Amino acid sequence: MPPPRSRSTSRVPLRTPDPAPEPDPAPNPQPRRQKPLRLTQPLEDAAENEAEWLPPEGGYTTNLPVAYVSPWWRWGVRAVAGVLLLFILAVGWLTVTAPLSKSLEPPAPPSVTLLAADGTPIARRGANIGVPVDASQLPDHVRNAFVAIEDRRFFSHWGVDPRGVLRAAVHNATSDDGTQGGSTITQQLAKNAFLDSSRTMGRKFQEALIAFWLEAWLSKDEILSRYLSHVYFGDNAYGLTAAARHYFSTTPEKLTLSQATMLAGLVQAPSRLAPTGNLSGARERQKLVVASMVSAGFLTPGEGDAVKPAVLDTDRVRELPIGTYFADWVLPQARDRAGEIATEQTVRTTLDMRLQTAAETAVGRAALGGAQVALVAMHPDGSVVAMVGGRDYRESQFNRVTMARRQPGSTFKLFVYLAALRSGMTPDSTIADEPVTIGDWSPENSDGRYLGDISLRRAFARSSNVAAARLTQKVGPRAVIRAARDLGISTDIPNEASIALGTANVSLLELTAAYAAISSGEAPVRPRGLPAEENNDWWLAQDRSSALGRRELGGMRSLLAAVVNGGTGSRAALSIDTYGKTGTTQDNRDVWFIGYAGDLVVGVWVGNDDNSASDRLRSSLPAGIWRDFMVSALRIAPRPAAPKPQVVDAASEDSEALENGVTFDIPEIGLEGEVSGRGINLRFGPDGELIPLPLPTPPAESDDRDRRREPPEIEQRGPVRGM
């Protein structure tokens, strides 16, 4: 019985079974041959050794195949294919990580110059990046100055200078006189445009590879142009154009040999050698650049000796402040508006320089006594026109308009009374001005006086704490919170009755914007520092405002007017219709006045950064700052023309109806009229009630000063009874 056929894949032929008996063949038959298996041996070799592959009849063969060895040239083809594959992978990596267009991008965030509403530059933030230069259009002495000191064989190497690398290595190994770099201009461009500043072998390899890549695709002039356009020269100046303008008030095409050699010397250590702070060091480096130009043959020894030290000319370059309170706040909005930018951009803002000056003046004149202050002014649509975030930006960059969160005190009652009006009440509705206990909380009026049932108008004007607490209890804290949210307050507000007295922290900016909603009649008002953008796709618009109810709006305006016309905010009275609200927190930690007149809504806060108590702060202080600013901003008379009498109690949360805190009990004698002069300005009502009026501000004219010396006069308007 023949053995079974082997399943091996080796090249040993299998034994064929014995052929079956056949009839006698025909004359001259052709011998039948066994077809060999298909093997991996070359055909020509198989043909030569075909007989060896035929097994002997009736048995097994012992002729095993010999291992095949490829010719040497096949290994060469494989090596070339591997190199090509690596090249393709390298090109793909460079295309992704080092696109040529990236070498045109600035290496630092571009600067944004902020403009006031009238186009006046107010601040610059970011790098001072000049426009790109064309190296082929520069004078020869400018090009040669940089080539001589940075890369003398720039026009002959292919991106990496082996001689320069060897020279730097030998110097660094044998000398203690500092380290030298062997990077070419092309390598520096590769590092600045594509890589970080780490000093690792991997980064150096990437730098060399990208340098070869740049040399293969860019001309020498293009490489030099991109290098000079973005190299750093110190003082936040990036690029030759910015450096020439900053240090010499000129353009790259007009640089003298002396100026060009100084700028070329700054590249090695721009922060340390900036001539505005280290002129002697910059001039010493300039001498080295001149010597390099002579050594490289760009200058003759005589021309080198004739080069004089560069003289700075920065007088004509007006330096803008890097930051102000307003600039710090509006810059993120400006960058969002500008988008991804590659050169310096200018962004127009809503700031009004005249109003900003008026705000700084009003704050500067106030007797703060060591306290901090903040003021923000905006139009009813939310466009901010003035901002003072503290006494001095140089001492503290903390913006108390936008960043501070403080308790608003009675200014928060705006939302309490708005919720009450929404519930159906009116300014003439009555509320009990009597002590009340809500849970474990028993609020008190700061002056200790309780008047019984009084109108909402009178309660709001005298800033009754118990009346606000009763209203919050009546409408519910959730209704008050909803009113605050509708007017744009976003900070956390606890769901408890004590919010009636302003226990939730808010920012001055948001609180002022809430009062702007009452002025504009729409809510919420979003404060902004940039002009409104045109948006034709109305369905994409966000933060759309909705109109406030006419009844609620009219009621709130009536309440705010009562505060100024005889209430706690009489210090802020103007000669035009004025609306506002005072606020004082516990222990006089914060004092506020927020109101509007004309087309301006202004908020003022005064307090201590450490939230400490003060026995000197009264809400009459921010009200006075508010009035001084508004008089200047609106260009109106400082004293009221004919204030409307209001039947309002003179008591207040901090006895600020009279600056000395004194109140009077007047017997009913039927005297009706006004008393003014010598620091007194009072009105007697027909029922004997004493109504304090704002003190007039002394006019500038001399005749008015003389009139102040006259004795008080009493204007009698009714019969005198009981005398």
Side-chain angles (χ1 to χ4, degrees), residues 230-278:
H230 300 131
V231 68
Y232 184 47
F233 288 92
D235 273 8
N236 209 32
Y238 287 81
L240 186 60
T241 302
R245 182 179 67 245
H246 177 67
Y247 292 117
F248 302 113
S249 300
T250 188
T251 62
E253 293 77 14
K254 296 180 180 179
L255 285 171
T256 65
L257 177 59
S258 176
Q259 295 169 343
T261 52
M262 174 170 280
L263 292 180
L266 301 180
V267 175
Q268 182 192 50
S271 298
R272 178 172 59 87
L273 296 175
T276 51
N278 186 11

Side-chain angles (χ1 to χ4, degrees), residues 127-144:
N128 179 13
I129 300 176
V131 297
V133 298
D134 184 354
S136 63
Q137 302 299 319
L138 296 176
D140 289 340
H141 63 267
V142 176
R143 293 157 44 99
N144 294 338

Side-chain angles (χ1 to χ4, degrees), residues 55 106 108 124 162 202 232 254 288 305 334 361 452 522 589 607 636 661 671:
R124 177 183 289 118
Y232 184 47
K254 296 180 180 179
L288 183 59
D305 294 339
T361 302
E522 295 184 346
R589 300 174 189 272
I636 57 178
L671 181 65

Side-chain angles (χ1 to χ4, degrees), residues 572-585:
L574 302 173
S575 60
I576 61 176
D577 291 340
T578 309
Y579 309 84
K581 184 70 183 78
T582 57
T584 304
T585 61

Side-chain angles (χ1 to χ4, degrees), residues 546-612:
S546 58
L548 297 175
R550 294 182 61 184
R551 190 182 66 83
E552 294 86 0
L553 186 61
M556 283 309 308
R557 289 173 176 173
S558 174
L559 297 178
L560 292 170
V563 173
V564 179
N565 297 326
T568 61
S570 58
R571 179 77 182 273
L574 302 173
S575 60
I576 61 176
D577 291 340
T578 309
Y579 309 84
K581 184 70 183 78
T582 57
T584 304
T585 61
Q586 187 176 12
D587 298 327
N588 298 324
R589 300 174 189 272
D590 307 273
V591 288
W592 307 71
F593 187 85
I594 304 176
Y596 63 91
D599 64 343
L600 290 178
V601 185
V602 182
V604 181
W605 165 89
V606 180
N608 297 317
D609 284 339
D610 60 1
N611 200 33
S612 60

Side-chain angles (χ1 to χ4, degrees), residues 207-228:
E207 180 183 294
L209 191 61
I210 295 175
F212 286 130
W213 165 260
L214 294 175
E215 290 279 352
W217 293 98
L218 300 177
S219 67
K220 290 290 185 179
D221 279 341
E222 289 175 328
I223 293 174
L224 186 59
S225 297
R226 300 185 186 199
Y227 170 78
L228 293 177

Side-chain angles (χ1 to χ4, degrees), residues 364-530:
R365 285 199 303 236
L368 299 175
Q372 276 290 354
V373 63
L375 182 152
V376 63
M378 63 181 67
H379 289 308
D381 64 353
S383 56
V384 176
V385 294
M387 180 181 291
V388 178
R391 290 181 308 183
D392 191 339
Y393 181 83
R394 292 169 296 181
E395 295 180 359
S396 172
Q397 289 79 49
F398 182 72
N399 193 337
R400 294 156 188 85
V401 172
T402 62
M403 302 169 66
R405 300 290 186 272
R406 307 295 291 251
Q407 290 187 353
S410 292
T411 56
F412 195 85
K413 292 174 182 175
L414 173 79
F415 312 114
V416 175
Y417 282 77
L418 177 60
L421 295 177
R422 285 178 171 180
S423 70
M425 302 181 75
T426 69
D428 296 320
S429 300
T430 59
I431 189 72
D433 183 30
E434 296 291 348
V436 63
T437 298
I438 303 174
D440 297 333
W441 179 53
S442 299
E444 298 177 351
N445 288 344
S446 59
D447 62 356
R449 299 180 61 195
Y450 302 92
L451 306 182
D453 290 342
I454 58 175
S455 67
L456 264 61
R457 181 182 293 105
R458 190 174 186 184
F460 191 76
R462 74 184 305 268
S463 198
S464 170
N465 290 337
V466 294
R470 288 180 180 276
L471 288 174
T472 303
Q473 183 184 36
K474 181 176 182 179
V475 301
R478 291 187 179 276
V480 177
I481 295 174
R482 180 179 179 183
R485 296 286 184 239
D486 290 345
L487 267 60
I489 301 299
S490 61
T491 52
D492 293 336
I493 305 175
N495 184 22
E496 55 190 33
S498 62
I499 62 175
L501 305 188
T503 57
N505 293 334
V506 298
S507 71
L508 176 61
L509 185 66
E510 276 195 351
L511 194 56
T512 305
Y515 278 74
I518 304 299
S519 175
S520 66
E522 295 184 346
V525 171
R526 303 296 183 186
R528 53 183 173 82
L530 302 178

Side-chain angles (χ1 to χ4, degrees), residues 667-680:
E668 185 176 353
I669 58 177
L671 181 65
E672 180 181 1
E674 295 183 3
V675 177
S676 61
R678 296 189 181 276
I680 299 175

